[in-house]
Amino acid sequence: MGEKRKIFTKKIEYSGLLDLKDLHKVIKDFFESKQYGYDDPEYVMPETVTVWGQNLPATCPDGFFGHWYVDLMKKGTQFLVIDPRCTWIASRAKLWLQLRPGTDAALALGFIHVMVKEDLINTEFIEKWTNSPFLVRTDGECPVLLKESDLKKDGSKTNFIAHDPVSDSTIVWDTEKQAYDRYGLKPSMEGEFNISLTDGSKIKAKTVWTVYKENVEQYTPEKVSKITWVPADKIQKAARMYAKSKPSALHWGLPIDTIPSTIPTSQAINHLWCLTGNLDNPGGNAIARYAYDVVTYPYHAGGSVLSLPPEVAAKRIGMNDYGPIKDFRAWAQPDKVLEQIFSGDPYEVKGMWIQTANPIACTGMEPKKWHKAIKKLDFTVCVDLFMTPTAMLCDVILPAATFLEKNSLRAWWVPLNAIKKVVEVGECKSDIDINIELCKRFMKDFPYENTEQLFDKLLKSADITYKDLCDKTWMIPPKGHPSRPYFRHEKGLLREDKHPGFRTPSGKIELFSSWLEKWKLDPMPYHEEPPYSPVSTPDLFKDYPLILCTGRRMGPYFHSEHRQVPWLREQQTDPVLEIHPDTAQKYGISNGEKVCVENWLGKITVRALLTQVIHPDIVMAEHGWWFPEKEGKEPSLFGVWEVNVNQLIPMSHEGKGGLGSPIKSMLCKVYPNVA
């Protein structure tokens, strides 16, 4: 389209100081208000907290504040930490399991194996609140839940079947009534039964609990130890520690989301609190809901203030490839988007709007593919605070506002917060303001003139206006509100029909998932080996004998942000690679020297950080690095190609459900940089 043109407004620098006396008063008033926190009479201190793959003191504070865990430690809570690295919190844990990256599902299933074998489960909770009594057909290639429509010509496809041990006959779980068709009975939890179908044929069916136990039977501590590198006795100790603690809480981090097996892995970990009854109980795992049902962050397909027209929504890239994307996400699948930019099938992608993202330096795997894709497009826009490597490639750059420069809301999770603008810088606009202006130009009947009108609409469920919320600053949902814990499944607060239960197709916690069955994915959790590992690619492992884990967090930075802030950059000037001293000695590497990290996809140069916190067979790299002080024009792009570890991670390796990527488990070799 000819020479590309850049349009941007330069941000000015400013400094704002808050008087320390005022700050002290704000903090003092907050903690003395005693509206929420440890002084809440409903709250129970967990006996054990399991931190699974997150380094809390140096990571994203999205409500998971490290100081809260420190306070729990002081009050006597024991910690179980699962991490390839000995993090700060791992060094203070009662038990630390150093697992091989990408094997989390196997470890969780090993826990479940021990818990079931040793009867460390909450049988009463499982019988009442899970779909464990439902029957599963085992006559086909894949097990499927038995439906009422399988037994009766006029039967519902949404009702499920269980077995009555008294009459030795089938009973129907009515999903609308949330009850069995016969009152006062207790269905069979285990067993295999002969079932007659509508066509007169007979099949065998087992209870969910029976097939579930058969599934976890294979994950013995000894087998799981071989997969995960965690000693079998530690697996047993950890399972007992978690299951015996009353209550017990579990907190996982981003690594569970950023592996191709994210669906079965998150499913397995979820089952830990479901099998022990540590769900929506004080001190356990609360079900996260938007405060006052104010949806401000609609990742899912519902709850947004504006939806795509049906004919446009049907064109979302990847939605027909992956059931979870079609049914639970409002966006396109990024791996498929990149592929379609080059293939043009089923339609050409002409432009890209890049907002709150930096694919060249941070969020894009194989960033040179993204570089090529952006250059291929007819028109690109980047909305950002600063001139990033990605912004340098775009035709138009719109200067965004920081949180201090915008009005906004936060409602995930409690409390409901008003974010109030305190300063205005140049021509910078908030992301919301920019998007509203864009909507006005695309839609003649766009219903919101400004952000305040939009916020008022969002806040209707809280029965408050944005102006009034600003006066209050924040609000805690009252007791009995669906967005406030605890035991909401018992009170009918989780479902729209007000029946007790959960927001699932069956109304039960689905140990055998009907959603996964619908999407033709395995309905029960399982271990899936990472796509590149000593096990799945042994020949590659000979040439690249180290497991590359990425995403080491740094206190001064968040993803690719803040490298241009001098007083933060002073704390760490260059990206580092954590490597065990024994491994460094083996490869002739000294602490602080520049090393090359290489695999079949690419190579970067970083500084070696010798540390015993990392396993000898694993190295840990940082992500999001670029150098704002270097030349921004191509080909340099602020030196991003020298240090971006994403060049060693492939696109198009998402999981079977279209989620996840091999960010946490790749292969590499490391050697001194002799250049």
Side-chain angles (χ1 to χ4, degrees):
M1 61 176 286
E3 185 178 352
K4 294 198 171 185
R5 184 165 57 98
K6 298 193 186 331
I7 306 169
F8 61 93
T9 301
K10 184 177 180 181
K11 295 197 71 169
I12 64 170
E13 295 184 1
Y14 67 93
S15 174
L17 298 175
L18 180 65
D19 187 276
L20 289 179
K21 291 181 180 178
D22 293 338
L23 179 61
H24 178 267
K25 183 179 186 301
V26 169
I27 295 172
K28 182 172 180 288
D29 290 347
F30 176 81
F31 284 106
E32 286 185 353
S33 67
K34 297 184 179 180
Q35 292 186 58
Y36 212 62
Y38 298 130
D39 293 319
D40 182 352
E42 291 183 279
Y43 184 75
V44 176
M45 190 179 72
E47 189 177 337
T48 292
V49 168
T50 301
V51 178
W52 200 309
Q54 190 162 48
N55 182 18
L56 289 153
T59 191
C60 170
D62 259 355
F64 306 129
F65 298 110
H67 62 75
W68 180 64
Y69 287 120
V70 174
D71 288 346
L72 286 176
M73 286 181 186
K74 292 176 180 178
K75 290 173 176 286
T77 295
Q78 299 283 356
F79 275 72
L80 164 62
V81 174
I82 299 164
D83 204 294
R85 302 168 63 241
C86 185
T87 61
W88 182 90
I89 206 162
S91 69
R92 289 149 177 82
K94 182 176 181 180
L95 191 58
W96 167 48
L97 307 187
Q98 190 175 29
L99 85 168
R100 176 165 66 93
T103 63
D104 307 79
L107 185 60
L109 288 162
F111 280 21
I112 294 171
H113 176 97
V114 173
M115 289 158 49
V116 171
K117 281 282 186 183
E118 299 183 8
D119 196 24
L120 301 177
I121 55 178
N122 188 330
T123 303
E124 181 182 353
F125 185 89
I126 294 168
E127 289 179 350
K128 185 174 183 180
W129 297 111
T130 76
N131 69 343
S132 53
F134 292 1
L135 295 184
V136 176
R137 295 182 61 166
T138 56
D139 57 316
E141 284 187 23
C142 302
V144 294
L145 289 162
L146 192 63
K147 313 294 196 307
E148 186 185 22
S149 56
D150 295 323
L151 308 188
K152 303 176 184 177
K153 287 185 178 180
D154 60 346
S156 170
K157 293 182 179 180
T158 61
N159 289 343
F160 300 90
I161 302 298
H163 176 262
D164 175 18
V166 177
S167 62
D168 190 24
S169 62
T170 57
I171 51 177
V172 177
W173 174 258
D174 189 314
T175 55
E176 287 190 9
K177 296 178 180 178
Q178 285 294 291
Y180 287 107
D181 61 353
R182 276 180 258 164
Y183 180 75
L185 55 82
K186 186 176 181 181
S188 300
M189 276 286 286
E190 298 194 52
E192 184 177 43
F193 311 98
N194 294 314
I195 305 294
S196 297
L197 302 181
T198 53
D199 60 4
S201 62
K202 292 186 180 295
I203 63 163
K204 289 189 178 295
K206 300 177 181 179
T207 67
V208 165
W209 188 238
T210 299
V211 296
Y212 190 86
K213 289 175 68 176
E214 291 172 353
N215 182 53
V216 300
E217 177 65 28
Q218 61 186 299
Y219 292 96
T220 64
E222 293 73 25
K223 178 180 177 178
V224 171
S225 179
K226 290 178 182 178
I227 295 171
T228 63
W229 299 352
V230 178
D233 64 322
K234 275 196 168 185
I235 294 171
Q236 292 171 312
K237 287 179 183 176
R240 293 166 187 152
M241 180 179 173
Y242 173 79
K244 289 183 178 181
S245 299
K246 309 294 181 187
S248 191
L250 194 154
H251 171 162
W252 83 51
L254 194 60
I256 305 305
D257 304 332
T258 50
I259 53 177
S261 60
T262 180
I263 289 178
T265 300
S266 58
Q267 186 186 22
I269 297 174
N270 265 277
H271 287 181
L272 292 173
W273 56 71
C274 295
L275 294 174
T276 55
N278 282 297
L279 181 61
D280 217 39
N281 60 315
N285 280 74
I287 295 173
R289 296 283 294 270
Y290 296 101
Y292 289 94
D293 298 320
V294 175
V295 180
T296 57
Y297 204 45
Y299 257 113
H300 52 81
S304 58
V305 294
L306 189 66
S307 297
L308 292 171
E311 67 276 10
V312 177
K315 294 181 179 180
R316 282 192 296 126
I317 298 173
M319 68 173 291
N320 294 319
D321 298 292
Y322 301 112
I325 303 298
K326 183 176 183 178
D327 293 329
F328 276 95
R329 289 293 179 258
W331 35 258
Q333 207 284 334
D335 298 88
K336 295 298 181 184
V337 169
L338 186 62
E339 292 171 16
Q340 190 167 320
I341 288 173
F342 294 113
S343 72
D345 183 25
Y347 58 85
E348 286 192 32
V349 178
K350 300 280 191 176
M352 185 182 296
W353 180 282
I354 303 170
Q355 192 166 11
T356 67
N358 188 2
I360 300 301
C362 182
T363 51
M365 305 306 108
E366 283 191 274
K368 287 186 178 177
K369 278 189 178 179
W370 284 103
H371 175 271
K372 187 178 178 181
I374 291 171
K375 300 283 280 187
K376 181 179 184 295
L377 298 170
D378 291 347
F379 184 67
T380 53
V381 179
C382 185
V383 183
D384 212 313
L385 300 170
F386 302 99
M387 290 299 295
T388 66
T390 301
M392 291 298 295
L393 299 175
C394 293
D395 299 297
V396 174
I397 298 94
L398 300 178
T402 68
F403 74 99
L404 293 169
E405 304 164 51
K406 68 179 182 180
N407 293 320
S408 190
L409 296 171
R410 181 185 169 106
W412 71 97
W413 296 277
V414 293
L416 174 63
N417 293 273
I419 299 171
K420 295 179 281 188
K421 181 177 179 178
V422 296
V423 67
E424 190 166 310
V425 178
E427 297 178 29
C428 301
K429 291 184 181 295
S430 74
D431 293 280
I432 302 171
D433 283 321
I434 290 170
N435 293 348
I436 284 180
E437 290 302 316
L438 192 68
C439 286
K440 288 179 185 178
R441 286 155 177 79
F442 277 114
M443 292 179 61
K444 292 181 180 179
D445 56 348
F446 183 68
Y448 309 107
E449 183 62 32
N450 51 50
T451 54
E452 187 166 340
Q453 288 182 10
L454 174 62
F455 295 158
D456 285 347
K457 165 69 174 177
L458 290 170
L459 288 166
K460 275 191 177 297
S461 59
D463 195 26
I464 194 172
T465 64
Y466 177 70
K467 182 179 182 300
D468 290 340
L469 182 61
C470 285
D471 292 337
K472 287 178 173 286
T473 304
W474 55 274
M475 294 165 53
I476 294 289
K479 289 182 182 180
H481 193 277
S483 63
R484 177 166 176 163
Y486 299 99
F487 302 116
R488 285 164 290 179
H489 55 285
E490 297 179 357
K491 306 167 186 173
L493 294 174
L494 296 178
R495 296 174 54 86
E496 290 184 5
D497 60 16
K498 308 302 181 185
H499 284 301
F502 299 87
R503 198 181 292 182
T504 64
S506 65
K508 300 283 190 179
I509 296 168
E510 298 193 345
L511 300 179
F512 188 105
S513 171
S514 60
W515 275 114
L516 293 176
E517 178 192 299
K518 174 190 172 184
W519 299 324
K520 300 191 184 311
L521 300 174
D522 197 318
M524 292 185 294
Y526 60 93
H527 164 66
E528 180 182 319
E529 189 64 26
Y532 301 102
S533 79
V535 178
S536 56
T537 53
D539 291 338
L540 269 178
F541 185 63
K542 293 175 184 176
D543 296 325
Y544 304 101
L546 295 171
I547 292 175
L548 172 63
C549 192
T550 70
R552 178 185 184 269
R553 300 292 184 166
M554 305 143 281
Y557 309 125
F558 179 64
H559 292 311
S560 59
E561 298 178 11
H562 311 321
R563 268 71 173 185
Q564 74 281 6
V565 181
W567 52 91
L568 296 179
R569 190 67 179 278
E570 286 175 1
Q571 298 181 51
Q572 186 177 335
T573 56
D574 296 297
V576 301
L577 179 82
E578 287 186 348
I579 184 169
H580 193 278
D582 294 346
T583 309
Q585 184 179 24
K586 178 180 177 181
Y587 295 111
I589 294 169
S590 302
N591 188 53
E593 78 167 306
K594 285 193 173 182
V595 295
C596 296
V597 186
E598 182 180 348
N599 68 11
W600 60 98
L601 293 171
K603 180 177 73 172
I604 60 170
T605 303
V606 295
R607 294 196 180 275
L609 176 62
L610 274 60
T611 173
Q612 293 187 3
V613 305
I614 196 75
H615 191 283
D617 294 323
I618 302 171
V619 291
M620 173 64 105
E622 297 171 336
H623 73 294
W625 269 94
W626 54 293
F627 300 105
E629 68 274 16
K630 292 192 175 184
E631 176 61 53
K633 295 179 182 179
E634 293 195 83
S636 171
L637 294 179
F638 301 112
V640 69
W641 306 122
E642 303 167 27
V643 292
N644 186 356
V645 73
N646 290 354
Q647 295 171 98
L648 280 66
I649 305 171
M651 289 291 293
S652 299
H653 281 66
E654 66 274 20
K656 295 173 183 176
L659 306 173
S661 59
I663 291 174
K664 296 299 178 182
S665 183
M666 286 295 294
L667 297 176
C668 73
K669 62 181 178 181
V670 181
Y671 52 91
N673 179 34
V674 294

